[in-house]
């Protein structure tokens, strides 16, 4: 599709806005600042002015307020007019990227995630540093200590037995799945990949390994770096095209990556990408399709926090709750604000730390005030695990963070499911 036609299609998603303001209470940045220009309605006004050429794309105030958007899309489900805010923002961010150069920090981060030869050794070193225990020991409130808290929060749950894969139970009616490996998930969160493989195998899914994968490109796409997002998406479509013919599904255990992979057909605009995208499922969707089978008792209080890119972008709500509900004696709660963004939003927390922390503080306050206080916050996205985990450490709250499949995996170990075959 020609660029101008594609841009109009993106802007058109904003056309239904009638400025009613119903979306304002759902917007974390508006709740943090109270500034209309930091609300969905205010930003839509700015984006319309940008499209019409009434405000230039390098206008500092325009850039500030559109950059400050988390891209969480919490404004979409509450909109009675069906405004496609995310599509409009995607178009606006591309226009901003064409007219303004990225900051040094943004360029450096996007370059690292663009190339596996950069992110793989970097995250491997970070994992080694994490294993010294220093990040957990030094985590706290200041910027550097908060970053250390984010790294410490990538570790497996304290009581989790990390060990090698155990032989899984295999039902006879198994289906084939290809696992999307990703960047941080394959390095800092490799324990979640192991848990994903084991819990899926225990529910009747056979795993196909797929070589030649890259980072999903979501960080680039959200920043307006469309060329890098397309290049990474093409590499993944090439890697998965053949596997997609053999596999029933492509499974993703990171909500942000899953939303991006499901959107590859739109991004690349070809049938091959659409065919790959059509097979993508969040791990919770596949587990919920099988129940999932129950495990051993885990009598702990768990607060589920819904990742924006799972609930708003993928519209997956019930499946993660079904995963957690398969764990006997686990007491599951949904706290007020559990559907609100945590402030992570890809690389947002690194580029806008003050706003990201203001948004996070609202969530941490809810968790700290909860009765009973949760033992664990469960959420299915790496950025959320790091952001919420660091926020809890900074607040001195003894609450762990975990991916729902980590908890199911632990429950299966307790039930002896993996060694029963
Ligand atoms: S985006 Fe939707 S909810 Fe928000 S002001 Fe526009 S029409 Fe109203
Ligand atoms: S995407 Fe999130 S931060 Fe941006 S306007 Fe919508 S609700 Fe607010």
């Amino acid at each position: 599709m020609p660029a101008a036609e594609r841009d109009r299609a993106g802007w058109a998603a904003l056309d239904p806005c009638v400025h009613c303001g119903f979306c304002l209470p759902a917007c974390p940045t508006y709740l943090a600042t109270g500034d209309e220009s930091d609300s969905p309605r205010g930003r839509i006004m700015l984006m319309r002015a940008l499209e019409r050429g009434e405000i230039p794309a390098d206008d500092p105030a325009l850039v500030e307020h559109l950059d400050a958007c988390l891209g969480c899309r919490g404004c979409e489900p509450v909109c009675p007019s069906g405004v496609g805010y995310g599509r409009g923002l995607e178009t606006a961010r591309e226009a901003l990227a064409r007219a303004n150069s990225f900051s040094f920090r943004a360029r450096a981060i996007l370059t690292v995630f663009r190339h596996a030869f950069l992110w793989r050794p970097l995250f491997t070193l970070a994992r080694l540093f994490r294993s010294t225990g220093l990040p957990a020991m030094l985590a706290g409130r200041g910027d550097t200590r908060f970053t250390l808290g984010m790294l410490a929060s990538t570790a497996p749950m304290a009581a989790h037995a990390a060990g090698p894969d155990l032989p899984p139970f295999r039902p006879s009616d198994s289906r084939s799945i290809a696992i999307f490996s990703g960047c941080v998930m394959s390095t800092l969160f490799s324990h979640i990949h192991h848990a994903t493989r084991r819990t899926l195998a225990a529910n009747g899914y056979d795993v196909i390994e797929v070589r030649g994968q890259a980072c999903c490109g979501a960080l680039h796409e959200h920043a307006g770096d469309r060329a890098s997002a397309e290049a990474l998406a093409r590499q993944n479509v090439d890697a998965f095209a053949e596997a997609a013919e053999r596999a029933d599904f492509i499974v993703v255990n990171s909500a942000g990556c899953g939303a991006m992979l499901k959107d590859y057909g739109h991004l690349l605009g070809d049938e091959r990408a659409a065919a790959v995208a059509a097979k993508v499922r969040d791990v919770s969707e596949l587990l919920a399709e099988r129940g999932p089978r129950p495990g051993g008792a885990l009598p702990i209080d768990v607060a589920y926090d819904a990742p924006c890119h799972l609930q708003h972008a993928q519209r997956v709500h019930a499946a993660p709750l079904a995963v957690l509900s398969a764990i006997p004696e686990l007491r599951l709660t949904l706290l007020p604000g559990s559907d609100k963004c945590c402030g992570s939003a890809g690389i947002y927390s690194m580029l806008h730390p003050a706003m990201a922390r203001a948004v996070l503080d609202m969530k941490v306050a809810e968790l700290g005030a909860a009765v009973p206080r949760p033992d664990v916050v469960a959420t299915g996205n790496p950025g959320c695990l790091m952001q919420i985990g660091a926020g809890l450490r900074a607040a001195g709250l003894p609450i762990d963070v975990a991916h729902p499949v980590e908890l199911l995996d632990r429950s299966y170990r307790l039930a002896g499911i993996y060694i029963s075959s």
Side-chain angles (χ1 to χ4, degrees):
M1 187 190 297
E5 213 175 297
R6 197 177 68 216
D7 280 359
R8 174 80 281 272
W11 298 126
L14 304 176
D15 289 350
C17 180
V18 294
H19 312 298
C20 64
F22 285 178
C23 52
L24 268 60
C27 175
T29 57
Y30 177 71
L31 294 178
T33 68
D35 184 340
E36 173 77 16
S37 298
D38 285 327
S39 78
R41 182 172 62 183
R43 291 186 176 119
I44 288 169
M45 298 286 278
L46 291 171
M47 288 191 272
R48 282 179 165 167
L50 173 65
E51 183 197 8
R52 290 195 293 259
E54 293 164 8
I55 302 180
D58 58 357
D59 180 89
L62 174 91
V63 173
E64 179 194 332
H65 292 297
L66 293 187
D67 268 1
C69 175
L70 294 152
C72 67
R73 296 168 61 177
C75 43
E76 287 188 13
V78 295
C79 172
S81 303
V83 168
Y85 181 90
R87 287 279 181 246
L89 181 69
E90 181 185 300
T91 308
R93 289 247 164 103
E94 273 182 55
L96 263 52
R98 285 195 294 267
N100 306 282
S101 50
F102 287 118
S103 67
F104 174 77
R105 184 183 280 208
R107 176 52 62 199
I109 296 168
L110 294 175
T111 301
V112 166
F113 281 95
R114 175 77 179 79
H115 304 286
F117 68 83
L118 293 176
W119 58 254
R120 199 180 300 282
L122 188 71
F123 295 149
T124 303
L125 281 175
R127 197 169 58 182
L128 283 174
F129 178 45
R130 184 185 76 192
S131 69
T132 65
L134 283 172
M137 210 184 303
L138 299 173
R141 284 205 72 80
D143 284 356
T144 305
R145 296 181 70 194
F146 188 85
T147 306
L148 290 170
M150 290 176 78
L151 177 58
S153 302
T154 65
M157 280 179 64
H160 182 95
D165 285 356
L166 298 174
F169 173 87
R170 285 183 190 282
S172 55
D173 58 341
S174 60
R175 303 182 79 180
S176 299
I177 49 157
I179 291 192
F180 176 70
S181 54
C183 48
V184 287
M185 293 309 295
S186 65
T187 48
L188 291 169
F189 290 100
S190 57
H191 55 282
I192 295 178
H193 272 343
H194 293 319
T196 297
R197 284 189 174 85
R198 286 189 292 262
T199 52
L200 285 170
N203 282 280
Y205 295 99
D206 277 333
V207 177
I208 297 171
E209 299 297 340
V210 175
R211 293 183 179 281
Q213 302 182 38
C215 163
C216 67
L219 302 179
H220 306 81
E221 199 263 349
H222 297 164
D225 181 2
R226 188 173 178 111
S228 295
E230 285 187 2
L232 290 165
R234 279 209 186 82
Q235 187 176 336
N236 283 322
V237 169
D238 288 346
F240 279 102
E242 184 266 340
E245 286 170 20
R246 288 184 293 134
D248 295 299
F249 302 108
I250 297 166
V251 65
V252 187
N253 53 17
S254 152
C257 308
M260 184 67 181
L261 264 70
K262 286 182 177 180
D263 208 34
Y264 274 178
H266 167 79
L267 180 73
L268 298 181
D270 64 58
E271 283 181 17
R272 200 157 156 265
V276 167
K279 293 217 167 180
V280 176
R281 300 286 187 279
D282 184 74
V283 59
S284 63
E285 292 181 274
L286 294 184
L287 288 169
E289 203 173 273
R290 294 297 177 105
R293 64 185 300 195
L298 213 51
I300 55 174
D301 288 291
V302 174
Y304 175 67
D305 200 83
C308 300
H309 283 89
L310 193 58
Q311 58 172 340
H312 303 315
Q314 299 187 51
R315 306 284 164 108
V316 173
H317 301 278
L321 302 177
V323 170
L324 293 168
S325 299
I327 303 173
E329 296 183 31
L330 183 148
R331 297 175 293 275
L332 179 61
T333 54
L334 292 174
L335 295 175
S338 62
D339 60 340
K340 293 260 185 336
C341 182
C342 64
S344 171
I347 63 173
Y348 184 99
S349 62
M350 289 178 264
L351 300 181
H352 308 280
M355 180 71 91
R357 292 286 291 279
V359 169
L360 174 64
D361 285 349
M362 294 186 264
K363 189 176 290 292
V364 171
E366 291 283 0
L367 289 163
V371 180
R373 181 174 289 173
D375 300 298
V376 177
V377 176
T379 187
N381 191 56
C384 310
L385 287 166
M386 293 168 78
Q387 176 83 349
I388 297 172
L392 293 169
R393 286 170 192 271
L397 290 168
I399 303 175
D400 221 330
V401 288
H403 193 294
V405 298
E406 274 187 274
L407 294 168
L408 187 66
D409 185 52
R410 194 154 135 192
S411 164
Y412 283 1
R413 280 180 188 275
L414 289 169
I417 283 176
Y418 298 136
I419 52 174
S420 65
S421 58

